[in-house]
Amino acid sequence: MTDLLPTTRTDAFDPPAELLSDPRPLRRMTFADGHRGWLVTSHELARAVLADARFSSRQELRRVVVPRPSVDELQAGKPASPGFFIVMDPPEHTRYRRLLTGQFTVRRINRLLPRIRQIVTEHLDAMRRSGPPADLVPAFALPVPSLVICELLGVPYADRERFQRDTAELLRLDATDEQAGTAMNSLTGYLSGLIEAKRARPSDDLLGGLVAGGELTGAEITGIAFLLLVAGHETTANMLGLGTFALLRHPAQFDALREGRVSVDAAVEELLRYLTVVQFGTTRTAVEDVELGGETITAGESVAVSLPAANRDPARFAGADTLDLAHDASGHLAFGHGVHQCLGQQLARIELRVGFAALAERFPSLRLAVPPEDVPLRGDMAIYGVHRLPVTW
């Protein structure tokens, strides 16, 4: 059996079988660039790696997990661009995170709840007016988080086609160096211009606040905007699309949600655990020798942490391979763990709770408009999901 990261799925909702069938929670793995490192698949060891400061997130130490002749290779071995705090370690990471944490507190995100409900209602109203069938991705799953993150950041929603196109290009596994570079330059150029416009004309939004704060350069704010805009719409959009597909393929679970026999809060946590759209997980590199799971990870060796596999670990979750909205999915790693745990997780949770609850209430007879095998899956993208989801009611 090859020791490259398994990527071939045999089921729309399950990680590759080789990730789940091998009982070893820590095993050798060859990265796409030939580096001999490690693969973690258990929940316990995944948490241990993600919480241990001896495992670095620094961009210059990162290894390419899967063959991807584009963004990863363009950035491999280079220091992080200004503002790209997710590929930095403390204290650089801490400085950026401190400036942003206040924007994503539960209290602040809860203040967005009425507007999120309004956005969801407006899009479901439009979908009903257009009548069945509909493609749930452009009608609902993609525009809802896109509009929310645009309003939070202060990015004109009218420009959504541009940033959605560039983002999609950057997430393609088969994008060429030229295609990825063009998309990266396009998106950073657009955001840089937007930041300069806010400097000339102050705005009451997150990016405007960072500009007014005076602690960051324009390049740093551009990098932050890039991360928040891309992550803020892509991950939640794919959870809405893939999550709806999963519910329609498990109608008893959809009925339980619609009838209120399970809480929407619990349903969202279980869907996050079960689906884990960051399909290749994350990587860390040891900066000193570390004992882990009975092995020695040597300084300089990289570790791929499979979040999808960790979230299906039967040692942590009973019935791990079953979608059961009544499960206790607390402690799942869909948002990561440790100092790099997803900054926007509370925003994502609220969008998913409002979105799934409203969809179940407004469209109780929702069903697929095509055979399930005809739903195109995003196995070709770094963020998993569905490219389209034709539905009727």
Side-chain angles (χ1 to χ4, degrees):
M1 185 174 68
T2 178
D3 61 1
L4 292 171
L5 182 71
T7 58
T8 302
R9 294 173 181 255
T10 56
D11 181 272
F13 308 117
D14 293 338
E18 295 159 287
L19 281 175
L20 306 181
S21 61
D22 193 316
R24 293 172 296 169
L26 175 67
R27 59 187 188 263
R28 277 293 187 180
M29 172 184 148
T30 300
F31 286 67
D33 61 357
H35 173 72
R36 289 286 291 168
W38 299 86
L39 172 64
V40 164
T41 57
S42 78
H43 185 273
E44 179 184 6
L45 294 188
R47 279 177 57 95
V49 170
L50 297 177
D52 193 331
R54 294 173 296 176
F55 288 104
S56 173
S57 296
R58 296 208 313 271
Q59 176 67 54
E60 61 266 36
L61 300 178
R62 286 168 68 89
R63 300 283 179 172
V64 181
V65 181
V66 298
R68 189 180 177 204
S70 56
V71 181
D72 289 339
E73 290 190 1
L74 289 175
Q75 298 175 337
K78 301 176 183 177
S81 300
F84 278 69
F85 60 94
I86 64 170
V87 285
M88 297 177 181
D89 290 340
E92 293 83 5
H93 169 267
T94 309
R95 181 172 72 94
Y96 290 116
R97 184 97 179 192
R98 175 180 54 81
L99 291 172
L100 294 169
T101 298
Q103 305 290 337
F104 290 94
T105 62
V106 173
R107 178 179 297 178
R108 186 177 181 104
I109 295 304
N110 279 335
R111 290 206 295 266
L112 297 174
L113 184 56
R115 178 57 179 145
I116 293 172
R117 285 177 173 151
Q118 181 183 8
I119 290 169
V120 166
T121 297
E122 289 171 351
H123 282 82
L124 292 181
D125 285 347
M127 195 168 88
R128 184 173 290 282
R129 282 195 305 269
S130 297
D135 182 347
L136 196 78
V137 172
F140 181 66
L142 182 57
V144 166
S146 294
L147 186 50
V148 171
I149 197 65
C150 279
E151 292 192 1
L152 179 64
L153 296 180
V155 173
Y157 186 61
D159 297 335
R160 62 190 179 279
E161 288 189 9
R162 176 174 180 173
F163 70 71
Q164 288 171 352
R165 179 198 66 224
D166 289 340
T167 298
E169 194 77 351
L170 289 168
L171 293 175
R172 276 178 49 206
L173 300 182
D174 61 351
T176 65
D177 289 353
E178 182 179 2
Q179 289 167 333
T182 298
M184 178 74 81
N185 291 335
S186 172
L187 187 51
T188 53
Y190 165 72
L191 291 171
S192 178
L194 182 64
I195 300 306
E196 290 309 305
K198 290 179 182 294
R199 200 176 300 282
R201 182 176 299 177
S203 58
D204 185 21
D205 47 57
L206 192 154
L207 296 181
L210 291 178
V211 170
E215 294 186 53
L216 300 174
T217 66
E220 289 176 308
I221 301 173
T222 296
I224 290 170
F226 181 101
L227 293 178
L228 297 183
L229 181 61
V230 172
H233 80 274
E234 267 288 338
T235 50
T236 307
N238 281 292
M239 270 304 303
L240 283 170
L242 187 64
T244 301
F245 185 27
L247 290 173
L248 296 182
R249 293 291 290 142
H250 297 80
Q253 298 299 311
F254 187 57
D255 289 345
L257 176 61
R258 179 175 53 81
E259 295 166 5
R261 289 185 279 115
V262 294
S263 73
V264 69
D265 290 17
V268 164
E269 298 308 309
E270 172 67 354
L271 287 165
L272 285 164
R273 179 201 71 82
Y274 182 71
L275 298 173
T276 316
V277 296
V278 182
Q279 66 168 334
F280 304 127
T282 187
T283 62
R284 298 288 188 269
T285 299
V287 294
E288 60 182 82
D289 291 358
V290 180
E291 296 297 320
L292 181 74
E295 301 281 0
T296 299
I297 313 298
T298 304
E301 289 185 330
S302 290
V303 178
V305 180
S306 176
L307 301 179
N311 280 340
R312 295 292 190 93
D313 185 351
R316 176 61 179 79
F317 302 103
D321 288 332
T322 301
L323 176 65
D324 181 353
L325 301 186
H327 265 158
D328 177 8
S330 60
H332 68 74
L333 301 177
F335 293 116
H337 180 64
V339 298
H340 284 281
Q341 192 172 32
C342 176
L343 186 65
Q345 61 181 291
Q346 300 307 332
L347 177 61
R349 283 187 166 102
I350 288 181
E351 291 175 303
L352 294 172
R353 290 167 186 167
V354 173
F356 285 127
L359 194 63
E361 178 185 354
R362 297 283 302 279
F363 294 86
S365 62
L366 192 72
R367 60 192 184 276
L368 292 176
V370 297
E373 59 269 21
D374 289 346
V375 174
L377 302 169
R378 288 171 53 104
D380 58 337
M381 308 291 281
I383 303 297
Y384 190 63
V386 293
H387 283 294
R388 296 183 299 280
L389 188 66
V391 296
T392 189
W393 55 89

